[in-house]
Amino acid sequence: MAIMRSSVAASSRGTPYNPELKQLWEDLYAAHADLVLAGHEHSYERFAPQDPEGKADPANGIREIVAGTGGRSHELLGFATPNSEVRDWDTFGVLKLTLSPGKYTWEFIPEEGKSFHDTGSGLCHNYPSESKLIGR
């Protein structure tokens, strides 16, 4: 997992991918990272796992969640960037992340009075499956 200020992918910019962070994304992908969290954009957006070229890669890709929702303002999101699964640009809130052996879950908890909500889970790439652990 990596936590960074700026996101690699975001629908809030004029270009879908941040070219300055491509090498970092390539390094994270080579290291089999599972999740990247970012918060610079003042919106919420979750991306399906993707490779360094921005192509969907459910088996080996990195999921990115942009949760810049605790600050002073919101940014409108433009057209959805490829692999964008969920987007919201008018709800303040927090991202609750739970890390467990071999998996992670997330939950976006909105400010009081708002209804936007997002939850889900992911599996870690390099963690042995339970069936492999049983034989030990």
Side-chain angles (χ1 to χ4, degrees), residues 42-122:
H42 294 198
S43 57
Y44 179 87
E45 190 165 20
R46 176 172 47 83
F47 292 87
Q50 52 193 338
D51 70 13
E53 301 304 317
K55 293 182 175 65
D57 184 353
N60 299 304
I62 304 170
R63 178 180 306 283
E64 182 176 33
I65 300 176
V66 180
T69 56
R72 60 185 162 83
S73 62
H74 296 103
E75 290 178 4
L76 292 176
L77 294 174
F79 293 107
T81 297
N83 304 312
S84 177
E85 295 182 317
V86 175
R87 308 169 346 130
D88 181 85
W89 54 88
D90 72 349
T91 305
F92 291 115
V94 297
L95 182 67
K96 176 183 176 183
L97 186 64
T98 304
L99 305 176
S100 303
K103 63 184 178 179
Y104 59 93
T105 62
W106 69 86
E107 178 183 12
F108 179 82
I109 302 168
E111 64 184 313
E112 189 174 328
K114 293 285 190 163
S115 61
F116 173 73
H117 197 252
D118 184 39
T119 62
S121 63

Side-chain angles (χ1 to χ4, degrees), residues 6 12 18 20 23 42 52 58 62 80-81 85 95 102 108 125 129 135:
S6 295
S12 62
N18 186 339
E20 295 174 4
Q23 182 62 56
H42 294 198
I62 304 170
T81 297
E85 295 182 317
L95 182 67
F108 179 82
H125 302 312
S129 68

